[in-house]
């Protein structure tokens, strides 16, 4: 292989990781979403069991096409990286079956719990999220196939390389071991994991930009320890990591996961919620279900009567209509120049729960009320021309939502 003892360039790996991420993100198009939404509307309109089954089967063909499209794009990206950077041959394509019909039933059941008028889109988004989740790990499977086809399985050792600048504790642990794995642990380390496997030789191959010692630091900071410094492990002997925290490899420090997501370097973690019925790291280890809930709830808020929502937020948080309106405008209407483009903020699960309590006039906690004030103040600073990071830091000096949230969760 051409990389025996050589350096794999950072630029070639970054191009590869970006191509894979684009393939996962582009598995569904607006046309797909519209077709799936129309299919659900047809099911609701007909209210016939036979027609429902036939329509779900038709929708499964759309999902199958989405899956194949993403698979082919990931295969192409992996094959190009293998050829150009590693000198590996491309194995014949062998695709694992995708349970599209099973996904249809889950999405259909999930859509029933959405608000009237939002069920069709909820169904379509659930299908899209399910396909995207199923597509994660395809590139790693393809990499293993190409290594075997090139006759190199006996010699290579794999590194699991994170593709995000915010990395969870488990991925830090695995990434810290360099080119050490004779066989990849699995196509993805956990649900939603974006780490990519790279073949090489232990103590010889160097991948530009990949620093195992940095991930070792992240592991040391994120792993839970007992009173005497011993690592806390679960029943299977796996280290337990601090909930809600990730390691920022650019800043070399542990941070609380916030709502803006980046894919600027070579993971992510999700906060737990104290309420026993809510999703947390045990019930939702990858955060996929929490992200899905947040996206769905933000969409529901946008579809409700704006004035009514703002009035409820103002009433529940003890703020004026003007302040609540600024928070609403900031979260659900405006777009800004963020780290990865001009767009609105990503939906956030913890914030969605706060908003749900505020809007539904449930028991409101201190961090819920702080959220409204923080977002309104951040909106003012952004309107004055500050960038997001500066505006967020300044608003947090007065109203620190994430600190209040951590305190409420009893984080330790």
């Amino acid at each position: 292989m051409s990389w025996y003892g050589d350096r794999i360039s950072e630029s070639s790996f970054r191009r590869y990781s970006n191509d894979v991420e684009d393939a996962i993100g582009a598995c569904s198009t607006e046309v797909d979403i519209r077709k799936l939404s129309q299919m659900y509307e047809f099911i609701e309109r007909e209210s016939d069991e036979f027609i429902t089954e036939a329509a779900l089967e038709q929708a499964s063909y759309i999902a199958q096409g989405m899956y194949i499209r993403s698979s082919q794009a990931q295969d192409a990206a992996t094959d190009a990286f293998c050829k150009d950077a590693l000198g590996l041959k491309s194995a014949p394509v062998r695709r694992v079956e995708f349970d599209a019909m099973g996904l249809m039933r889950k999405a259909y059941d999930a859509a029933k719990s959405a608000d009237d008028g939002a069920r069709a889109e909820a169904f379509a988004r659930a299908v899209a999220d399910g396909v995207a989740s199923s597509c994660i790990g395809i590139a790693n499977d393809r990499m293993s196939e190409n290594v075997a086809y090139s006759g190199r399985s006996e010699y290579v050792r794999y590194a699991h390389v994170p593709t995000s600048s915010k990395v969870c504790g488990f991925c830090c642990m695995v990434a810290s071991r360099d080119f050490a794995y004779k066989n990849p642990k699995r196509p993805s380390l956990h649900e939603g994991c974006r780490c990519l496997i790279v073949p090489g030789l232990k103590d010889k191959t160097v991948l530009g930009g990949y620093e195992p010692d940095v991930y070792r630091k992240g592991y040391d900071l994120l792993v839970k320890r007992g009173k005497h410094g011993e690592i806390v492990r679960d029943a299977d002997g796996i280290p337990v990591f601090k909930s809600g925290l990730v390691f920022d490899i650019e800043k070399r420090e542990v941070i609380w996961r916030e709502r803006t997501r980046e894919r600027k370097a070579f993971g992510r973690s999700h906060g737990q919620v104290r309420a026993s019925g809510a999703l947390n790291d045990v019930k939702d280890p990858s955060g996929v279900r929490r992200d899905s809930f947040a996206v769905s709830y933000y969409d529901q808020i946008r579809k409700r009567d704006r004035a009514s929502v703002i009035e409820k937020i103002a009433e529940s948080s003890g703020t004026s209509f003007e302040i609540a309106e600024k928070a609403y405008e900031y979260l659900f209407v405006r777009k800004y120049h963020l780290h990865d483009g001009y767009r609105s903020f990503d939906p956030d699960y913890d914030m969605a729960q706060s908003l749900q309590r505020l809007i539904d006039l449930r028991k409101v906690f201190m961090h819920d009320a702080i959220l409204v004030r923080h977002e309104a103040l951040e909106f003012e600073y952004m309107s004055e021309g500050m960038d997001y990071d500066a505006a967020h830091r300044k608003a947090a000096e007065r109203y620190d939502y994430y600190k209040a949230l951590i305190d409420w969760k009893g984080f330790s």
Side-chain angles (χ1 to χ4, degrees), residues 150-218:
S150 299
R152 302 296 182 178
S153 297
E154 180 181 351
Y155 309 104
V156 306
R157 295 296 181 269
Y158 290 95
H160 288 260
V161 186
T163 60
S164 171
S165 61
K166 310 293 189 294
V167 188
C168 73
F170 189 82
C171 289
C172 278
M173 177 184 72
V174 177
S176 71
R177 295 173 181 171
D178 207 349
F179 291 89
Y181 295 96
K182 182 172 177 58
N183 297 301
K185 293 183 73 64
R186 59 185 72 95
S188 58
L189 295 178
H190 54 76
E191 188 178 357
C193 178
R194 295 297 211 274
C195 291
L196 292 174
I197 60 169
V198 179
L201 289 182
K202 186 174 177 61
D203 301 324
K204 194 171 184 180
T205 300
V206 176
L207 170 60
Y210 170 51
E211 302 177 82
D213 289 345
V214 173
Y215 294 109
R216 178 69 196 188
K217 178 181 179 181

Side-chain angles (χ1 to χ4, degrees), residues 258-261 330 345-346 348 351 375 378 388 402:
E258 297 189 15
R259 68 174 178 271
T260 53
R261 302 174 193 145
Y330 189 54
F345 292 110
D346 289 320
D348 176 270
M351 292 173 62
E375 300 304 322
E378 197 172 294
Y388 167 72
Y402 286 99

Side-chain angles (χ1 to χ4, degrees), residues 13-24 73-74 77-78 80:
F13 178 77
R14 188 180 296 276
R15 182 166 55 252
Y16 169 49
S17 65
N18 286 340
D19 287 346
V20 170
E21 187 62 28
D22 287 345
I24 295 172
Q74 289 190 65
T78 306

Side-chain angles (χ1 to χ4, degrees), residues 90-281:
S90 297
V93 176
R94 179 173 53 84
R95 184 59 51 222
V96 178
E97 286 297 317
F98 167 57
D99 185 12
M101 197 61 188
L103 174 59
M104 292 309 105
R105 299 191 195 286
K106 290 180 182 178
Y108 180 65
D109 290 341
K112 293 177 182 177
S113 62
D115 290 346
D116 291 342
R119 290 173 186 157
E121 185 173 358
F123 171 74
R125 296 295 177 187
V127 172
D129 290 345
V131 173
S133 180
S134 298
C135 287
I136 294 171
I138 287 176
N140 287 339
D141 277 336
R142 183 62 178 168
M143 179 64 74
S144 297
E145 291 170 2
N146 287 350
V147 169
Y149 187 71
S150 299
R152 302 296 182 178
S153 297
E154 180 181 351
Y155 309 104
V156 306
R157 295 296 181 269
Y158 290 95
H160 288 260
V161 186
T163 60
S164 171
S165 61
K166 310 293 189 294
V167 188
C168 73
F170 189 82
C171 289
C172 278
M173 177 184 72
V174 177
S176 71
R177 295 173 181 171
D178 207 349
F179 291 89
Y181 295 96
K182 182 172 177 58
N183 297 301
K185 293 183 73 64
R186 59 185 72 95
S188 58
L189 295 178
H190 54 76
E191 188 178 357
C193 178
R194 295 297 211 274
C195 291
L196 292 174
I197 60 169
V198 179
L201 289 182
K202 186 174 177 61
D203 301 324
K204 194 171 184 180
T205 300
V206 176
L207 170 60
Y210 170 51
E211 302 177 82
D213 289 345
V214 173
Y215 294 109
R216 178 69 196 188
K217 178 181 179 181
Y219 166 74
D220 289 337
L221 292 172
L222 289 171
V223 72
K224 281 190 174 182
R225 296 184 181 273
K227 292 182 179 179
H228 304 292
E230 74 280 10
I231 293 174
V232 177
R233 299 178 184 274
D234 63 17
D236 296 320
I238 306 297
V240 176
F241 297 95
K242 298 172 183 176
S243 177
L245 295 176
V246 292
F247 183 64
D248 187 323
I249 66 169
E250 294 177 342
K251 297 179 180 178
R252 303 293 199 267
E253 63 183 26
V254 168
I255 62 170
W256 180 255
R257 173 186 170 267
E258 297 189 15
R259 68 174 178 271
T260 53
R261 302 174 193 145
E262 303 174 85
R263 305 201 60 79
K264 294 169 61 178
F266 302 147
R268 62 197 232 199
S269 181
H270 300 263
Q272 65 180 20
V273 232
R274 187 172 58 182
S276 60
L279 295 172
N280 53 39
D281 284 340

